Amino acid sequence: MTNPLLDFSGLPRFANIRIEHITPAMEQLLANGRTTIEQVRSDDVAPTWQNFVQSMENVNECLSRAWGQVSHLNAVMNSPELREVYNANLPLVTQYFAELAQDQVLFEKFKQLRNSPEFESLSHARKKIIENELRDFRLGGAELPPERKERFLRIQEELSALSARFSDNLLDATNSFALLVDDADEVSGIPDDVLQTARETAERDGVPGWKFTLHAPSYQPVMQYADSRALREKIYCAYSTRASEIGTPAPPSDNVADWDNTPLISKILALRQEEARLLGFDCYAEVSLATKMATTPKQVLDFLGELAVKAKPYAEHDLQELRQFAADKLKLENLESWDLTYASEKLRLERYAFSDQEVKQYFPETKVLPGMFKLVEHLYGITIVPAEGSAGIQLWHPDVKFFNLSDAEGKLIGQFYIDLYARPSKRGGAWMDDAISRRRIEVEGSNEHRVQIPVAHLTCNFAAPVNLNGQIRPALFTHDEVITLFHEFGHGLHHLLTQVEDLGVSGINGVEWDAVELPSQFMENFCWEWEVLADMTQHVDNGMPLPQELFDKMLAAKNFQSGLQTLRQIEFSLFDMHLHFAFDPDSEKTVLQLLDEIRKQVAVIFPPEFNRFPNSFSHIFAGGYAAGYYSYKWAEVLSADAYSLFEENSTGGVVNTGTGARFRDEILAVGGSRPALESFIAFRGREPKIDALLRHNGMAGA
Ligand SMILES: [Zn+2]
């Protein structure tokens, strides 16, 4: 075995993989896959779990695992050479899975298996996998007669082209704007590092002064810190009209229409509606919800409506307070849209005088990581030990750490890599990814089987330890970074603590999209518990734990303006849901009018009339969030409500092993093998309620 990407006997062989291994491995795995699929398709015998699903799973798992290693390296050890090979192979892999999803013969075989006597004898997990396959085939148009199917596929193509165009327009419009300022008074308040970049940007054009753009690292600090109201107004106007008919003209044509997303929005909505009707649904929102935990658009609208009613008084209070403060302290009488962020930042500073830098000194990696492990060891009755030196473990970078996870009996049940620090070759952000999924593998020719142990990747982009005069100072994390780490570890435990034995629904596989953030956001709650934090903090210089007084300030700052923020998310979610529900893109009513109506119902802040927010709402027009934006709040409700059971059972501390075991068994262990709502009820004893989230956000008692 010379090609490490074709070795599936154990952990990935990261140290042996060379760029020249990639294309030959993928060619072979794709060919193997096609051969097996062809055999399965032309097989005359009736499909069984074994000869049909299992056969395909085996080849597809190899393909996914090998490609997963390539994608992982591309994300964490990027180089021009690797990127080129990755990009060359990506369309081939995408194409392979797209063909499977459209294969009519496979669809028929799945239906046969569903109607066979064997189906009833299968486990819940296997039944769920078959039902999911049938559902996805149907949503992919497999049941349509030929001429409608043709139209369906055309719509899909058109939609993906329109989405790409939408984000291109937005990016081009964002890039087209720059504001040159050469008066030092105009830039007062803006942080030095932002000014430095603005200075360098101007210098590159050979002009004096500071050049500001609409990209987040320039736009946000200007809105947040610039003392000049006129500067904030100019930047706000340009930002909020991007990719619209009144946006900044697009050179060289000087024609704003070139980048105007307005006609695209209508086309996208009309095509989605047509797609939904072809599939037999009333509206696109129903298509979107077919794969989610929420069942009907009405259920989502009611959920958002209930939250809005509860949050509104708090938002009104937040706004009133901000107005008062702005008038008294900032001499801003009429608070305009371009004043909100600025005034909020000033108010936040006045109220909660502590800095991220101060907090950071108490969170060295050497305390945080063991503290987090100790928490979950206690909660779930597991043990985590470092194992990077052990035989067979290969890492892609010296900074990577590797751990074994064992159950109460000391049996190995999972393994994970942690790659914490930012480096130039690494994609930004933080994420969890599966390297190997848990599944039961039948040993051929016998009744024996073995269980494949799940393996996860946790990747973050934190600052690395520094060498101070020959002494290594551990990496220090901000509290936000600690939360991020807990969040990703929550996804990781969902993957690692699964008890499911079939690939399609093991770990996070097959979990509904709007429920997948439950285990991750759930973990974040522990970062706000004194009993947890007290044990995992130590000042990097004086060794003292986090002072309670500082913790109390952090806690108070946590819910700053939570009413306003909640209402904003609800406004976006309602707009998204209504657009894909009862809104008719061919009617007289415009998208902006709809947004206006929604604001009148729920909002307390009303942007100026020229604001063209829909034209830059990429989540729903260029991303995967159409009729799904509510998921952010939905998952927050689930995780807060799940966590509240720990709060209820907290005699002797919130880290309660009995409740922990129940969370592990009813939520983490079952993965996608049953509907998320069933799992939630099994854990909580009832359906989800919004109360815990409101309380956690300081909005209780409304
Ligand atoms: Zn997440």
Side-chain angles (χ1 to χ4, degrees), residues 430 487-488 491 516-517 520-521 524:
H487 178 106
E488 299 310 331
H491 283 307
V516 86
E517 294 295 333
S520 52
Q521 295 184 348
E524 294 181 20

Side-chain angles (χ1 to χ4, degrees), residues 101-221:
Q102 286 298 326
D103 194 312
Q104 204 67 34
V105 177
L106 297 181
F107 178 46
E108 291 306 324
K109 296 229 169 199
F110 269 111
K111 278 201 280 192
Q112 259 182 306
L113 180 56
R114 171 68 184 82
N115 297 325
S116 73
E118 187 195 357
F119 184 80
E120 285 313 316
S121 69
L122 293 175
S123 66
H124 284 301
R126 292 184 173 180
K127 282 183 186 151
K128 188 77 169 28
I129 290 173
I130 295 168
E131 299 285 10
N132 286 355
E133 287 287 349
L134 290 171
R135 176 198 69 196
D136 293 345
F137 270 110
R138 289 192 180 107
L139 291 173
E143 256 173 357
L144 300 175
E147 63 311 331
R148 286 177 156 210
K149 189 167 182 181
E150 177 73 10
R151 176 66 193 146
F152 179 86
L153 294 176
R154 278 286 306 283
I155 292 176
Q156 303 278 309
E157 269 169 40
E158 253 182 88
L159 276 174
S160 73
L162 286 167
S163 289
R165 180 82 195 279
F166 186 98
S167 52
D168 287 349
N169 280 349
L170 183 59
L171 183 63
D172 289 348
T174 305
N175 285 336
S176 77
F177 177 89
L179 184 70
L180 191 68
V181 178
D182 56 7
D183 176 357
D185 288 343
E186 275 292 280
V187 300
S188 122
I190 301 173
D192 285 344
D193 57 327
V194 181
L195 283 183
Q196 179 64 23
T197 311
R199 169 82 81 194
E200 283 164 15
T201 315
E203 266 168 17
R204 240 173 282 139
D205 291 356
V207 289
W210 300 268
K211 192 170 169 182
F212 297 100
T213 72
L214 298 182
H215 290 282
S218 177
Y219 171 76
Q220 273 164 3

